[in-house]
Amino acid sequence: MTEAPLKKANRSLTRQLWIFAAGSFAFGFALVPLYNVICDVTGYGDRTKLVEASSFTAPEDKNRLVTIELLSDSPAIGDWEFRPAVGSIEVHPGRLSEAKFYARNLRNQAVVAQAIPSIAPLQATKYFHKTECFCFTPQPFDAQQERELTVRFIVDPKLPVNIDRLTLSYVMYDAKSTS
Amino acid sequence: MAHAHDAHAHDHHDDHGPAKGIGRWLFATNHKDIGTLYMLFSLLMFFVGGTMALVIRAELFQPGMQLVDPMFFNQMTTMHALIMIFGAVMPAFVGLANWMIPLQVGAPDMALPRMNNFSFWILPFAFTMLIGTLFVPGGAPAGGWTMYPPLSQQTGEAFPMLIFAVHLMGASSIMGAINVIVTIMNMRAPGMSLLKMPIFVWTWLITAYLLIAVMPVLAGAVTMLLTDHYFGTTFFEAAGGGDPVMFQHIFWFFGHPEVYIMILPAFGIVSEIIPTFSRKPLFGYDAMVYATASIAFLSFIVWAHHMFTVGMPLAGQMFFMLATMLIAVPTGVKVFNWTATMFKGSISFEPPMLFAISFLFLFTIGGFSGLMLAIVPADFQYHDTYFVVAHFHYVLVPGAVFSLMAAAYYWLPKWTGHMYNMKLAKAHFWLSTIFVNVLFFPQHFLGLAGMPRRIPDYSTQFADWNMISSIGAFGFGLSQLLFVYIVVSCIRGGEKASDKVWDSGRPHGLEWTLSSPPPYHSFETAPEVK
């Protein structure tokens, strides 16, 4: 190619490649709604279900034991001591069970806390029914107050047989910073 | 574009040389100068990152805490990775692209020389900022190079510096990639159709497209981390309905193609060197091109194998496991073709060939351990152990880094016009190959025995292999000083290299039709390719 057409061709290809790069940048952000859509469609890690009370009943399956591991996380926001009372419990599917967490506000002022739950593996989310949970509503704490927090739940006997172990984890946040 | 105008006036063409003094480098638009800058910069970063690796291995020499505190140890693992990936391996390949692509396609320079200058000179700023994090309150980033939230959100004042450094590196890579594509697509010598291009050019063309496709995704991901940190967004913050696992998806959507960005040009280099010293044409050129393209395509649909343990559905695990294993097919084609190229060749063992053969064996070991990691139930066992560390170091050190050594030894006489000290280079090869195995092979055993990665202390049953691995690390690190000595003395002088450099009757590429060293402005009249 001679000089002038080459310059023109270079410029136009460069422009196209910059548009490509900009498209990739946009695609990175498009992955966010895409991810949420996939979660909604499949019901994996369904966030609305995780924080809603359910009135579920099913016959207890005494032949099966599912291990529920309990985890707690403290986020960068806020200042909490937060841990499960025990590391794991074993439950029969269909039976109403209970787990306790312990939380303490480490600051010298009253704070409203919000716990956010999560279940792993994700596909087990729809088989985990909470009848009562400290994560349903914001929890007020006085300065330095410590409290026991309770969650009551029923594991659906329809939980796929290849899952014998669930992890229920909570993160404790300052409710103010979440709004 | 003063040089370009000269091309009009062939009759009174004065071949003016490089500018004098520091200006030659600061305002460099010549592809050879910029290529040199890139490679010297990457060599410097190789030693900075390598020193950090030695801090890690020194601490792990014995169980217990001896030299550094755990926080600093974590800073070292994080910074070592960031510097080696973005500072050493990637710029080294871009430097090679700058030097070799115009010479191999018969172009006078890169298509966009001033952008070329910009994309290089961003890097020193990016890495000054990144390394500067070691000196700010809270220390350098210590949450791993993958920057997973919520841990990475606990980084101190280094946090915004890390994010902006990543942005700058990304911008540099994207500009470099655009330059490569425009040069290859528009500036090939007349008669050089796409399927007549040297294989190194092909691998770089594909790599450049990967870069443009995924570096902006990384930029997006770290931007989200930044806004989560400072502007109250909750992309990855569960409190606001975000999901930290989503970061892992976005990150590895970048991260897996990134792995191939660091290895495809290496494939190209090895595919240039093996035919030269086997005195045979490359076996299955077309298959090599298609295999490279297939690997690039597959790299986009395997990312979640880095995160099998997040609790993804069985169908997802199956898909990502099988897609990952599928990559072994085109990779196997490549390994087969290299072997077939050597088959019945009359092979000679000059330093570039030694490194290429070592690459072939050791990269394949890394490939096989990758296949083991692709198996979901096995991965649950291996995840975050030293087995993973051994795997990716096998593909990156005797893989990518050895290919870079091979490339340096292959083209150094062309670049400088001098032969280097072959005896020393062979010594460097043997030291590197032996020590790299002493360094990384025991890490397989450690990982299989359950030693977790990214920890400063370990249980005593891991003591023996860790000690051996650390000895290998220091041996390997010190051996690289020999490489610097060889390169520097080759630049300063030595036996005159011929135009073809290698007496094998090959190589055939356009770069060998030029003198050694090539003129400052080469191929101002495009060569004819038949």
Side-chain angles (χ1 to χ4, degrees), chain A residues 1-71:
Chain A
M1 257 188 267
T2 48
E3 188 97 350
L6 174 65
K7 234 178 186 173
K8 213 172 146 206
N10 284 356
R11 206 168 292 155
S12 99
L13 183 55
T14 307
R15 196 178 317 119
Q16 289 169 31
L17 291 169
W18 274 117
I19 293 168
F20 183 4
S24 305
F25 188 70
F27 178 74
F29 283 89
L31 285 173
V32 177
L34 203 65
Y35 181 81
N36 291 331
V37 166
I38 289 170
C39 289
D40 287 347
V41 169
T42 57
Y44 295 139
D46 186 341
R47 282 172 218 137
T48 44
K49 185 184 178 315
L50 280 170
V51 291
E52 266 172 11
S54 110
S55 52
F56 178 84
T57 47
E60 187 176 337
D61 183 356
K62 287 225 188 269
N63 298 321
R64 190 171 167 199
L65 268 180
V66 177
T67 305
I68 312 288
E69 300 202 330
L70 304 169
L71 274 183

Side-chain angles (χ1 to χ4, degrees), chain B residues 12 199 468:
Chain B
H12 54 96
I199 196 82
I468 292 171

Side-chain angles (χ1 to χ4, degrees), chain A residues 2-179:
Chain A
T2 48
E3 188 97 350
L6 174 65
K7 234 178 186 173
K8 213 172 146 206
N10 284 356
R11 206 168 292 155
S12 99
L13 183 55
T14 307
R15 196 178 317 119
Q16 289 169 31
L17 291 169
W18 274 117
I19 293 168
F20 183 4
S24 305
F25 188 70
F27 178 74
F29 283 89
L31 285 173
V32 177
L34 203 65
Y35 181 81
N36 291 331
V37 166
I38 289 170
C39 289
D40 287 347
V41 169
T42 57
Y44 295 139
D46 186 341
R47 282 172 218 137
T48 44
K49 185 184 178 315
L50 280 170
V51 291
E52 266 172 11
S54 110
S55 52
F56 178 84
T57 47
E60 187 176 337
D61 183 356
K62 287 225 188 269
N63 298 321
R64 190 171 167 199
L65 268 180
V66 177
T67 305
I68 312 288
E69 300 202 330
L70 304 169
L71 274 183
S72 63
D73 276 299
S74 303
I77 316 161
D79 197 1
W80 295 94
E81 187 184 340
F82 179 49
R83 58 183 157 77
V86 290
S88 70
I89 51 176
E90 290 192 322
V91 302
H92 293 297
R95 185 192 170 88
L96 181 66
S97 314
E98 187 181 273
K100 290 206 182 301
F101 283 74
Y102 163 88
R104 180 169 170 213
N105 173 18
L106 294 177
R107 276 169 303 180
N108 289 319
Q109 63 185 73
V111 185
V112 178
Q114 174 69 54
I116 306 285
S118 155
I119 306 266
L122 293 173
Q123 70 263 40
T125 310
K126 60 179 163 215
Y127 303 101
F128 193 82
H129 307 280
K130 296 199 209 73
T131 58
E132 188 187 328
C133 180
F134 57 92
C135 59
F136 294 162
T137 52
Q139 302 283 326
F141 278 76
D142 293 334
Q144 298 288 344
Q145 189 194 1
E146 51 187 301
R147 284 234 308 271
E148 208 172 54
L149 303 166
T150 306
V151 51
R152 292 200 175 82
F153 60 90
I154 303 163
V155 176
D156 193 329
K158 288 209 246 353
L159 180 74
V161 283
N162 62 326
I163 301 175
D164 59 359
R165 186 176 287 264
L166 301 181
T167 306
L168 172 62
S169 91
Y170 287 95
V171 193
M172 184 73 97
Y173 292 93
D174 289 3
K176 267 177 293 182
S177 56
T178 66
S179 57

Side-chain angles (χ1 to χ4, degrees), chain B residues 409-421:
Chain B
Y409 284 133
Y410 187 51
W411 283 308
L412 203 53
K414 172 56 68 186
W415 298 333
T416 62
H418 305 130
M419 294 309 284
Y420 48 85
N421 187 330

Side-chain angles (χ1 to χ4, degrees), chain B residues 264-490:
Chain B
L264 294 184
F267 290 168
I269 292 163
V270 171
S271 305
E272 298 272 349
I273 291 172
I274 288 181
T276 297
F277 298 99
S278 303
R279 292 161 178 79
K280 279 176 66 194
L282 180 66
F283 182 89
Y285 169 92
D286 289 12
M288 285 304 224
V289 172
Y290 295 130
T292 310
S294 315
I295 293 172
F297 167 74
L298 288 171
S299 75
F300 286 104
I301 55 165
V302 297
W303 75 90
H305 68 213
H306 295 270
M307 37 187 292
F308 277 142
T309 57
V310 296
M312 76 176 75
L314 189 63
Q317 293 174 344
M318 293 293 286
F319 172 79
F320 287 110
M321 172 170 85
L322 295 173
T324 303
M325 290 180 158
L326 208 54
I327 297 183
V329 178
T331 313
V333 168
K334 290 191 148 297
V335 173
F336 177 86
N337 285 0
W338 290 321
T339 316
T341 306
M342 288 196 284
F343 182 64
K344 289 195 175 171
S346 60
I347 302 175
S348 56
F349 297 95
E350 284 86 344
M353 184 61 166
L354 288 173
F355 273 103
I357 294 173
S358 187
F359 169 95
L360 189 49
F361 277 91
L362 300 179
F363 173 79
T364 305
I365 290 179
F368 280 137
S369 57
L371 272 179
M372 292 171 70
L373 286 163
I375 304 165
V376 175
D379 180 78
F380 274 60
Q381 187 70 25
Y382 305 151
H383 186 85
D384 265 348
T385 68
Y386 256 82
F387 192 78
V388 177
V389 176
H391 157 67
F392 67 71
H393 279 99
Y394 259 90
V395 288
L396 279 174
V397 183
V401 173
F402 271 27
S403 84
L404 288 164
M405 300 284 177
Y409 284 133
Y410 187 51
W411 283 308
L412 203 53
K414 172 56 68 186
W415 298 333
T416 62
H418 305 130
M419 294 309 284
Y420 48 85
N421 187 330
M422 289 286 162
K423 275 214 179 81
L424 276 185
K426 282 184 184 175
H428 170 233
F429 164 75
W430 285 110
L431 287 170
S432 298
T433 293
I434 291 167
F435 278 122
V436 89
N437 285 293
V438 176
L439 164 55
F440 293 120
F441 211 82
Q443 296 183 359
H444 289 115
F445 309 143
L446 288 169
L448 292 177
M451 177 170 159
R453 62 190 285 209
R454 291 170 172 160
I455 50 149
D457 188 10
Y458 49 83
S459 173
T460 46
Q461 80 259 30
F462 304 127
D464 293 349
W465 288 121
N466 266 302
M467 185 176 282
I468 292 171
S469 179
S470 290
I471 291 169
F474 279 87
F476 183 77
L478 294 175
S479 308
Q480 303 320 309
L481 295 173
L482 194 55
F483 178 68
V484 178
Y485 174 78
I486 295 165
V487 170
V488 171
S489 32
C490 179

